[in-house]
Amino acid sequence: MTTIITRTRNTSYHKTHQRQSASSHRSSRQNYSQIAHRTLHEHSSSSQTRPATRNCIAINKAITQANTTRQILRIWQESGRNFNYVNIATTLNRLARFGIAPNDTSTINDISHTLLQDNASVLNECGTQEIANIVNAFAKLGIQNDALFKASAQCLLDLDARLLKRCNSQEIANIINAFAKLGIQNDRLFQAAPRCLLAPDARLLERCNSQEIANIVNAFAKLGIQNDRLFQAVARCLLASDAQLLKKCTSQHIANIVNAFAKLGIQNDALFQAVAQCLLASHARLLKRCTSQEIANIVNAFAKLGIQNNQLFEDVAQCLLASDAQLLARCNSQAIANIVNAFAKLGIQNDALFQAVARHLLASDAQLLKRCTSQHIANIVNAFAKLGIQNDELFEATARCLLASDARLLERCTSQHIANIVNAFAKLGIQNDRLFQAVARCLLASDARLLERCNSQDIANIVNAFAKLDIQNDALFEAVARHLLASDAQLLKRCNSQDIANIAWTFIINHYCHHDLLQRLLAECFVRTSEFSEEELHQLHQVWLSLAYEFPRTQVQWNLSLLEKIHNIILYPQTSPSSLQNDICAELHNLGIHFTTEENIRGLPVDIALKDKPVLIEVNGPYHYLRGTHTLDGPSKFKQRILEKINYKVHSIPYWEWDNLSNSMEKQEYLQRLLREESTR
């Protein structure tokens, strides 16, 4: 807390104040009241425009000796008309230290009125320290007063920012931090402050300590004010002389600094790597002092800027899991979401941490999970899915949370939250028909208002999830088509090549042919032929197969150069037989059955094809099935549908049936039963 220093030449007052400070806490409320009354009677100056200096010194003495909010407020009530700018700054500073009750806000408003009356005459008398203390006090008390802050900024900026230029580093840090805490934007002040800090040769910035640096960058980040020059100068100060200033930072300072850089998207790899070194030095001593919130902010900052440091993240996981995951247990839902999201963004796998996170979320009847917002849930399940970490219990509990109380939490989701949630379930192959049908209802409610807020990527992720999990909902797909085609297909024109391929593919995988939409999608393909990746070309090939064999009456025009690119891709499919497939082939060979492997039928790779017979064997491992079921996923069903349309007999060998066969004889008997019909022809 900044100490108020009164602006006076009366050195005897300061000596007296020092002698009496040791016994100040023994003074009673009556003593403060007596001081105020005596001062008021001795120096009554109702006809004067300014209170007498001796009067103000006595008032300041009473304020600084007060031990409670009540005592300070009593002094204001009894002597407020005699307060000068120093008394007001001292009062606000002390009240910010002690705190106030809600019903005391009116008194603070009276004080601010005194500062602002007569064209802010009292405020204009303030020096840099008084202004810093005044705005800092309002910020600490959480009291918004735009008029006072605007007038304070004006005082600082008048006459070519003469007063602002007199500020020391602590005063500037406190002033802009106060504006930021209350969310009060003042572009002129925030443009002038960096100029003061950076001129000349960043002399004032170099005098900042670590806390002041943290407060300054945090203030700019909170208000979303970009100033690359200031932030890069801050980085240089922190890294100068072998990062001496950075090494003096506490864990909170470091968390605030990197968080500020990340919020504004300001890249400085050297600073972040030096931060990691500081945190990991001496067996990660500083990292081990971090709170759960600080850890969340640090890893989130690294992830936002895409700065990889595996050692830091490994040690973070160890800190969170140490002593039976005590630190992890202190994380709130937002911290959990930020931590797992950071690991996922950087592709850093740590199964032990993620499973501990799941246990923490599910403990005590999933109390922490139930406190999650829709964004937290979207980030958490998305992180698990990105890293391919399975936890069926967590995903089931997540679905229950979203659907509880008539799907109240689901209805609070944004379009992006919904897209991320269903995409996460689909990536891990977890089908939850009840959740997905509720998602469809949310998207379609109120004339599909939420669906209309979806961007092209949201749309692609949503329909892709429904298709992969083989969840049918014609009403949703029809509404999606209308949304994409509305306003002369403006949204469709904003799609990239991946969105176009995904949307077209998901419609045919879900066996829903929409002629107008497919026609417009293929028209967009004409201008993007060179942009499609191999995977996207394979998706478009499957669209072509569906239209040729499932919907032959649907006439759409294909671009010849695009078809040529597709043809070149499907000629040489890249496949690698699994150990399961090799085992089946060995038993077929023992039975004397003639076959080929990795056949290419109309561009579709087939596991096993019998020679001289239109008979195919598909070897379906775990990833062909929905999680925890024996139900084929959407793409596997589509492949079987198309092959049967081409007049092949398709046999499937599920992995669990083959795994249950204990020896070669049982395996051969299984294959003979499977192929008996064809072998007798």
Side-chain angles (χ1 to χ4, degrees):
M1 174 65 67
T2 304
T3 304
I4 295 288
I5 301 175
T6 55
R7 295 180 173 272
T8 175
R9 296 176 181 271
N10 192 338
T11 55
S12 63
Y13 161 70
H14 291 289
K15 292 177 182 177
T16 304
H17 175 70
Q18 289 171 354
R19 286 196 302 271
Q20 292 180 348
S21 61
S23 60
S24 63
H25 293 292
R26 294 192 296 270
S27 300
S28 65
R29 177 185 296 178
Q30 184 179 3
N31 290 339
Y32 300 113
S33 182
Q34 287 173 349
I35 291 172
H37 276 296
R38 187 170 62 249
T39 302
L40 182 61
H41 289 301
E42 289 175 358
H43 304 283
S44 178
S45 54
S46 57
S47 61
Q48 293 177 330
T49 57
R50 298 187 183 204
T53 301
R54 190 180 300 173
N55 184 10
C56 295
I57 292 171
I59 291 173
N60 229 57
K61 180 179 178 181
I63 296 167
T64 54
Q65 289 178 349
N67 294 323
T68 68
T69 298
R70 290 294 102 205
Q71 291 168 355
I72 296 169
L73 292 177
R74 180 182 289 273
I75 295 170
W76 166 258
Q77 289 161 4
E78 295 174 350
S79 306
R81 61 180 177 172
N82 290 330
F83 274 36
N84 70 356
Y85 65 96
V86 176
N87 302 145
I88 289 177
T90 306
T91 297
L92 290 170
N93 190 48
R94 300 283 289 178
L95 289 174
R97 181 182 298 181
F98 294 133
I100 62 170
N103 57 355
D104 294 328
T105 305
S106 59
T107 304
I108 306 299
N109 291 334
D110 290 343
I111 295 174
S112 66
H113 177 71
T114 301
L115 285 166
L116 294 175
Q117 67 185 359
D118 299 329
N119 293 321
S121 59
V122 176
L123 185 63
N124 287 327
E125 292 182 49
C126 290
T128 57
Q129 188 172 19
E130 286 78 35
I131 287 183
N133 285 333
I134 288 167
V135 295
N136 193 44
F138 272 78
K140 283 193 172 181
L141 294 171
I143 297 174
Q144 191 97 9
N145 192 310
D146 291 353
L148 175 62
F149 274 66
K150 183 178 179 181
S152 298
Q154 191 62 47
C155 284
L156 292 164
L157 297 172
D158 276 347
L159 302 174
D160 192 28
R162 184 171 62 184
L163 192 58
L164 184 64
K165 290 173 183 176
R166 292 177 185 163
C167 287
N168 61 32
S169 58
Q170 184 179 18
E171 290 161 358
I172 283 189
N174 286 348
I175 288 166
I176 63 172
N177 191 48
F179 276 76
K181 271 189 177 180
L182 295 176
I184 299 174
Q185 200 97 15
N186 191 298
D187 292 343
R188 282 186 62 216
L189 175 63
F190 275 74
Q191 288 165 7
R195 288 197 294 270
C196 290
L197 289 165
L198 297 175
D201 298 325
R203 190 184 304 162
L204 185 58
L205 184 64
E206 289 173 356
R207 293 180 188 146
C208 289
N209 61 31
S210 58
Q211 184 170 7
E212 290 160 8
I213 289 278
N215 285 348
I216 288 167
V217 295
N218 195 43
F220 277 78
K222 274 188 176 178
L223 294 177
I225 299 173
Q226 196 91 13
N227 192 307
D228 286 8
R229 184 164 169 254
L230 171 64
F231 273 65
Q232 298 303 349
V234 162
R236 287 193 295 274
C237 284
L238 290 167
L239 295 175
S241 305
D242 193 27
Q244 284 302 310
L245 183 58
L246 184 63
K247 290 172 183 176
K248 293 173 184 169
C249 287
T250 66
S251 57
Q252 186 177 12
H253 299 160
I254 282 184
N256 286 348
I257 290 166
V258 295
N259 190 48
F261 274 75
K263 271 190 176 179
L264 295 177
I266 298 174
Q267 199 88 19
N268 192 300
D269 290 1
L271 173 63
F272 273 67
Q273 297 305 344
V275 162
Q277 289 169 12
C278 283
L279 290 167
L280 298 176
S282 304
H283 304 291
R285 184 172 57 188
L286 186 58
L287 182 63
K288 290 172 183 175
R289 292 176 184 160
C290 288
T291 65
S292 57
Q293 184 66 51
E294 289 162 4
I295 281 187
N297 286 348
I298 290 166
V299 295
N300 191 47
F302 275 74
K304 273 190 176 179
L305 295 177
I307 298 173
Q308 197 92 16
N309 192 303
N310 290 353
Q311 187 61 56
L312 173 63
F313 275 67
E314 183 181 329
D315 281 30
V316 161
Q318 289 174 6
C319 284
L320 290 167
L321 296 175
S323 305
D324 293 326
Q326 281 185 8
L327 186 58
L328 182 64
R330 295 185 193 125
C331 290
N332 59 23
S333 58
Q334 184 175 10
I336 287 283
N338 285 347
I339 289 167
V340 295
N341 192 47
F343 275 76
K345 272 190 176 179
L346 295 177
I348 299 173
Q349 194 93 14
N350 193 303
D351 288 4
L353 173 62
F354 273 65
Q355 298 303 348
V357 163
R359 288 193 296 273
H360 179 38
L361 289 166
L362 296 172
S364 306
D365 193 29
Q367 284 302 310
L368 183 58
L369 185 63
K370 291 172 183 175
R371 294 189 199 119
C372 287
T373 65
S374 57
Q375 184 173 10
H376 299 160
I377 283 184
N379 286 349
I380 289 166
V381 296
N382 193 46
F384 274 75
K386 271 190 177 179
L387 296 176
I389 298 174
Q390 298 279 359
N391 192 297
D392 293 352
E393 188 182 357
L394 173 62
F395 274 69
E396 288 170 10
T398 295
R400 287 196 298 272
C401 284
L402 289 166
L403 296 173
S405 305
D406 296 324
R408 185 170 55 190
L409 184 58
L410 185 63
E411 289 173 355
R412 293 176 185 161
C413 288
T414 65
S415 56
Q416 186 176 15
H417 298 160
I418 282 186
N420 286 348
I421 289 167
V422 296
N423 190 48
F425 275 76
K427 273 190 176 179
L428 296 178
I430 300 172
Q431 190 186 58
N432 190 305
D433 196 69
R434 186 166 165 248
L435 172 63
F436 273 65
Q437 299 303 348
V439 161
R441 287 194 296 273
C442 282
L443 290 167
L444 298 176
S446 304
D447 295 325
R449 185 169 55 191
L450 184 59
L451 181 64
E452 289 175 359
R453 293 179 187 151
C454 291
N455 60 29
S456 56
Q457 187 175 12
D458 295 337
I459 289 285
N461 285 345
I462 290 166
V463 293
N464 191 49
F466 275 77
K468 278 189 174 179
L469 297 176
D470 194 36
I471 297 174
Q472 305 293 321
N473 192 301
D474 289 356
L476 174 62
F477 275 69
E478 179 64 32
V480 164
R482 286 197 305 270
H483 179 40
L484 289 168
L485 294 172
S487 304
D488 192 28
Q490 287 300 311
L491 180 60
L492 200 57
K493 292 173 183 176
R494 291 196 285 269
C495 289
N496 58 28
S497 60
Q498 184 178 24
D499 296 336
I500 288 171
N502 274 342
I503 292 168
W505 180 79
T506 54
F507 268 74
I508 62 96
I509 290 292
N510 221 22
H511 209 238
Y512 191 86
C513 181
H514 193 287
H515 176 272
D516 293 344
L517 176 62
L518 287 171
Q519 185 67 53
R520 290 302 297 259
L521 284 167
L522 292 175
E524 290 299 318
C525 289
F526 294 172
V527 295
R528 291 179 170 84
T529 300
S530 62
E531 299 174 16
F532 291 105
S533 66
E534 286 192 17
E535 182 182 356
E536 291 156 12
L537 289 171
H538 277 291
Q539 288 178 314
L540 291 175
H541 169 245
Q542 291 182 28
V543 174
W544 183 87
L545 285 173
S546 178
L547 292 175
Y549 291 99
E550 293 187 302
F551 305 102
R553 295 182 180 179
T554 303
Q555 299 297 316
V556 295
Q557 187 177 358
W558 287 80
N559 178 269
L560 292 178
S561 61
L562 177 62
L563 286 176
E564 186 178 353
K565 289 194 73 169
I566 291 172
H567 178 73
N568 292 335
I569 288 293
I570 65 173
L571 279 178
Y572 307 104
Q574 296 180 353
T575 57
S576 54
S578 64
S579 58
L580 174 61
Q581 182 178 336
N582 290 334
D583 192 26
I584 292 169
C585 288
E587 297 302 340
L588 285 171
H589 181 75
N590 291 337
L591 287 170
I593 296 173
H594 300 290
F595 62 90
T596 59
T597 62
E598 304 304 319
E599 277 290 313
N600 186 339
I601 298 175
R602 303 290 195 279
L604 293 176
V606 175
D607 295 331
I608 300 169
L610 299 190
K611 286 186 176 180
D612 304 324
K613 291 179 183 178
V615 178
L616 307 173
I617 298 175
E618 282 293 283
V619 180
N620 292 328
Y623 293 108
H624 288 273
Y625 296 91
L626 300 176
R627 179 79 177 161
T629 75
H630 290 166
T631 304
L632 286 172
D633 62 16
S636 299
K637 282 185 177 179
F638 167 77
K639 182 180 177 182
Q640 186 165 327
R641 283 201 323 259
I642 292 297
L643 291 170
E644 288 174 348
K645 287 286 185 181
I646 304 173
N647 292 324
Y648 280 90
K649 175 68 177 177
V650 182
H651 293 291
S652 294
I653 299 181
Y655 71 95
W656 70 87
E657 289 185 1
W658 191 259
D659 289 346
N660 285 335
L661 303 173
S662 57
N663 54 51
S664 182
M665 182 180 295
E666 287 184 2
K667 292 175 181 179
Q668 290 180 24
E669 288 176 356
Y670 175 91
L671 291 171
Q672 285 174 329
R673 285 195 304 273
L674 188 73
L675 301 173
R676 186 168 291 128
E677 182 183 346
E678 282 68 38
S679 63
T680 57
R681 284 180 182 176

